[in-house]
Amino acid sequence: MSSTESEETKSEKKEDEKKEDEKRLEKFMGKKERRRSSLNKPLQGDYMGAKTNNKILSIIGKHEEKEVLFADSVIKINRKCKRQERILLLTEKALYNIDPVSIKSKRRIGLLDISCVKMSGLQDNFFVICVPTEYDYLFVSSKKIEICLQLRRQYQFVHHGQVLPIEFKNTWSLNADIRKEEIMKRYISL
C-alpha cells in the first residue's frame, strides 16, 4: 500500500467517524433536544489530561483500573442543593467523583451498581446517575450526551451485552435526602 493510499484510507475513516458522531448528536436517542451549538462538538473523552495525571492514575490504580474513558469538570448538586465542582471520571470498571482541588476521590461507583441514567427531553444540562444500593447523583454538564454515550458503551461491555437504560422524562424523582422542590426552584433556570 502506497503512502497516498494510506492517507486516503485514513481520511475516509476520519470522515466516516465524523458522520457517525453527527448522527449520534443530532437528537440523542431520538428524545433529547440538543442546542445548536452542541451539534458539531467533537467527542474527546479526556478533557482534563487525566490520562497523564499521576494523582488520578494513582486513584484508579488502587482498584486495578488503567483506562480513562472520560474525564471532565462537572457540577454536582449535593443533598443540601448546593453546587459543587467535581471531576467526573469514567474508567473501564467505575465512575469516580473527584474533588478538583485536592484530587481525592469522594466516591467510586462500580458500573455494576448503576441501574440507569435519567435525563429530560429539554435543552438542559441535567442528568441523574441512579444507584439503587446507595443514593443517586444529580449532575450538571454541557457534555452530558458524551458522558452517557461513554457510560452506556462501557456498561454494556461490563454487563456482557446488557444496555444501560436511559430514561427521558421532564420530571423525575431522586433517591436522595433532599427536598426536590428546592432543586427545581434553584436550578431549573440554568
Side-chain angles (χ1 to χ4, degrees):
M1 180 183 272
S2 71
S3 65
T4 308
E5 289 175 27
S6 176
E7 288 176 22
E8 288 175 12
T9 305
K10 286 180 184 178
S11 176
E12 288 173 11
K13 186 177 179 182
K14 283 185 180 181
E15 189 62 35
D16 288 344
E17 288 174 358
K18 185 177 178 182
K19 285 179 184 177
E20 188 179 313
D21 284 348
E22 286 173 4
K23 281 182 192 175
R24 282 196 316 246
L25 294 177
E26 275 181 26
K27 194 168 186 183
F28 184 58
M29 298 181 72
K31 298 180 182 182
K32 178 74 175 168
E33 290 293 331
R34 303 295 312 278
R35 292 187 175 115
R36 193 174 309 174
S37 64
S38 72
L39 293 178
N40 296 320
K41 286 184 181 177
L43 307 179
Q44 295 178 18
D46 183 2
Y47 293 88
M48 311 205 56
K51 292 176 182 177
T52 58
N53 183 312
N54 289 333
K55 287 184 177 182
I56 288 177
L57 294 175
S58 172
I59 291 169
I60 67 174
K62 291 176 185 175
H63 299 281
E64 298 179 13
E65 297 170 49
K66 296 178 177 117
E67 193 175 357
V68 173
L69 303 172
F70 181 87
D72 194 26
S73 179
V74 298
I75 301 295
K76 176 191 151 222
I77 310 298
N78 72 12
R79 63 187 179 135
K80 296 178 183 176
C81 298
K82 302 285 185 200
R83 302 169 126 229
Q84 298 175 315
E85 188 172 338
R86 292 288 186 252
I87 296 171
L88 186 66
L89 182 81
L90 174 64
T91 68
E92 67 270 22
K93 296 179 187 176
L95 194 63
Y96 288 83
N97 168 19
I98 298 175
D99 183 302
V101 176
S102 65
I103 312 293
K104 293 194 178 186
S105 177
K106 294 292 191 177
R107 185 175 179 199
R108 179 186 182 273
I109 305 167
L111 296 181
L112 295 171
D113 297 327
I114 297 172
S115 66
C116 72
V117 175
K118 295 180 181 180
M119 304 175 98
S120 76
L122 305 173
Q123 293 179 358
D124 60 21
N125 290 330
F126 293 97
F127 66 101
V128 177
I129 305 289
C130 300
V131 186
T133 56
E134 298 177 42
Y135 54 90
D136 300 342
Y137 259 133
L138 175 59
F139 288 109
V140 181
S141 173
S142 62
K143 297 180 183 79
K144 68 207 160 296
I145 302 299
E146 184 174 355
I147 293 167
C148 288
L149 287 171
Q150 292 282 13
L151 182 58
R152 192 169 212 214
R153 189 176 297 138
Q154 195 58 29
Y155 180 96
Q156 191 169 4
F157 179 76
V158 170
H159 283 269
H160 307 290
Q162 184 180 348
V163 178
L164 175 67
I166 298 180
E167 297 177 15
F168 292 92
K169 294 181 183 176
N170 291 342
T171 59
W172 17 260
S173 60
L174 297 171
N175 176 17
D177 185 26
I178 57 176
R179 291 183 27 210
K180 295 172 199 111
E181 302 84 28
E182 237 180 278
I183 287 178
M184 298 311 284
K185 274 191 253 175
R186 289 186 186 187
Y187 300 108
I188 202 66
S189 63
L190 294 179

